[in-house]
Amino acid sequence: MTLAPAFRLPICAATAIAITLIATLSLPASASSKKQSKTAVSGNAASAKAHVLYASRPEALQFADDLAARRGLDRERVRQAIGQAQFLPQVPRLMLPPPKGTPKNWRAYRARFIDPVRIQAGVRFWNEHRAALERAEREFGVPAEIIVGIIGVETVYGQQMGNFRVMDALATLSFDFPSAHPRAAERVEFFRRELEQLLSLADRSNIDPFALRGSYAGAMGLGQFMPSSWVRYAIDFDGDGRIDLFRSPVDAIGSVANYFIAHGWIPGMPTHYAVQFDPARLQLDDLLAPDILPTFSAPSLQAKGAVLDAAGARHTGSLALVELQNGGDAPSYVAGTENFYAITRYNWSSYYAMAVIELGAEVAAARAR
């Protein structure tokens, strides 16, 4: 794998490329820039000196030593890279879930991502890159509108690509993840693996990890790929001999499609069907128990009181009843297919998946007018 030549810098240089991600009602979803704080605050102090570096943290340097040995990397270069990373005090706060009792609201969530500005940007993006989108659909079986929906929700088609140094963000989440998070231990391991992937990629490609900017969670490029996803799923779709998810929309298009195929996308299958309820038969708790994991056949779903439309009743794969809460109003429901579930592999949220689907559909409709 190679990146754009501009990224081939000494590992200790500090230059910048821009991308970001915002917090949604459930998980991080799209990009909305936040200015990086210049003050680092420790967990036990109300104020601390600015620009706290991880060179002062023995556990961070021990991780660097272990990583270098495990990956066969130069120990001093890895220690230097991790040691130069700065603690970002706002990042742990952004990782905390909403307070308990905070109602989710699909209509409010939808309004954040589906608006005239984003739709018109999507039309321009689709028109400019129509050939690449058609090729991705032909080669991978992922519809253009799903790819357009992803890139639009994530970065407004490259308009909002952020300002967090990925190295700083991943180091912060590796060594200062908020202990109040209900899945703190699991998330620490995840972000340490991502930090390892970033440094391994930087070593193989001779790039400066401090040159890469992205979301507060460490995601990069038009499609907001984490380092491990970049390694596994990013492709050179424009044929120029390098992978550049920052400045090549064509590479981003092909990489998003490749990601979906790797995560179970089934060409030709709808993402969801309309559903209504038969109150006399409804077993709502049973239907919602598997969450968004497709578990029910169409007949078993209907036997529990979820009445599908004609197309849904003919569906031969597995389905999930997806609930979208609307604040104090009644929830909305759809029957999600394996392809709906595949979209949630990009971001573990049914709200996110519906926003991607509906933004893509709105952009397609606007192009047709």
Side-chain angles (χ1 to χ4, degrees), residues 38-296:
K38 294 184 178 180
T39 303
V41 182
S42 71
N44 298 318
S47 63
K49 292 181 179 180
H51 308 305
V52 173
L53 301 180
Y54 280 98
S56 65
R57 298 281 294 275
E59 71 272 28
L61 297 181
Q62 183 61 57
F63 175 82
D65 291 345
D66 294 343
L67 188 163
R70 187 166 54 249
R71 292 272 181 167
L73 304 179
D74 183 90
R75 176 176 175 270
E76 289 307 315
R77 293 185 74 192
V78 175
R79 284 173 66 91
Q80 187 177 38
I82 291 179
Q84 286 180 340
Q86 295 181 17
F87 170 66
L88 303 179
Q90 68 273 50
V91 166
R93 295 194 294 268
L94 290 168
M95 278 292 159
L96 289 172
K100 288 185 178 180
T102 303
K104 294 181 180 180
N105 191 321
W106 160 237
R107 295 191 186 102
Y109 186 100
R110 185 186 190 279
R112 295 170 67 179
F113 300 109
I114 302 171
D115 57 57
V117 171
R118 204 175 299 242
I119 291 168
Q120 288 307 309
V123 169
R124 291 192 296 270
F125 181 87
W126 195 327
N127 289 341
E128 184 176 353
H129 302 292
R130 179 173 57 87
L133 288 162
E134 289 175 352
R135 181 159 60 93
E137 185 165 352
R138 186 168 61 250
E139 294 182 10
F140 294 97
V142 180
E145 65 187 64
I146 297 297
I147 301 171
V148 168
I150 287 284
I151 296 175
V153 165
E154 292 292 348
T155 61
V156 197
Y157 308 102
Q159 293 184 33
Q160 298 176 1
M161 295 206 306
N163 61 357
F164 286 86
R165 289 200 312 186
V166 172
M167 188 68 199
D168 294 338
L170 291 178
T172 298
L173 293 169
S174 293
F175 307 114
D176 286 290
F177 194 88
S179 59
H181 193 285
R183 296 163 57 207
E186 176 186 343
R187 302 308 287 165
V188 165
E189 290 306 311
F190 169 78
F191 285 112
R192 289 188 178 187
R193 289 195 299 270
E194 293 299 330
L195 179 57
E196 179 169 339
Q197 289 282 3
L198 176 69
L199 290 171
S200 298
L201 175 62
D203 182 79
R204 290 195 304 273
S205 304
N206 191 28
I207 62 172
D208 171 21
F210 289 94
L212 305 174
R213 297 217 172 195
S215 77
Y216 63 81
M220 300 179 287
L222 277 82
Q224 293 285 271
F225 273 30
M226 294 298 290
S228 61
S229 292
W230 191 307
V231 169
R232 294 170 187 152
Y233 311 117
I235 61 174
D236 172 20
F237 203 54
D238 62 12
D240 67 354
R242 59 183 182 269
I243 296 170
D244 186 353
L245 302 188
F246 292 94
R247 296 175 299 182
S248 172
V250 175
D251 282 358
I253 287 166
S255 298
V256 169
N258 190 45
Y259 183 98
F260 275 125
I261 287 297
H263 287 80
W265 184 272
I266 301 173
M269 177 180 287
T271 57
H272 64 285
Y273 301 104
V275 63
Q276 296 180 331
F277 294 140
D278 177 356
R281 292 181 292 155
L282 184 59
Q283 301 173 45
L284 188 58
D285 289 345
D286 289 349
L287 289 169
L288 293 177
D291 196 16
I292 54 179
L293 179 66
T295 304
F296 302 99

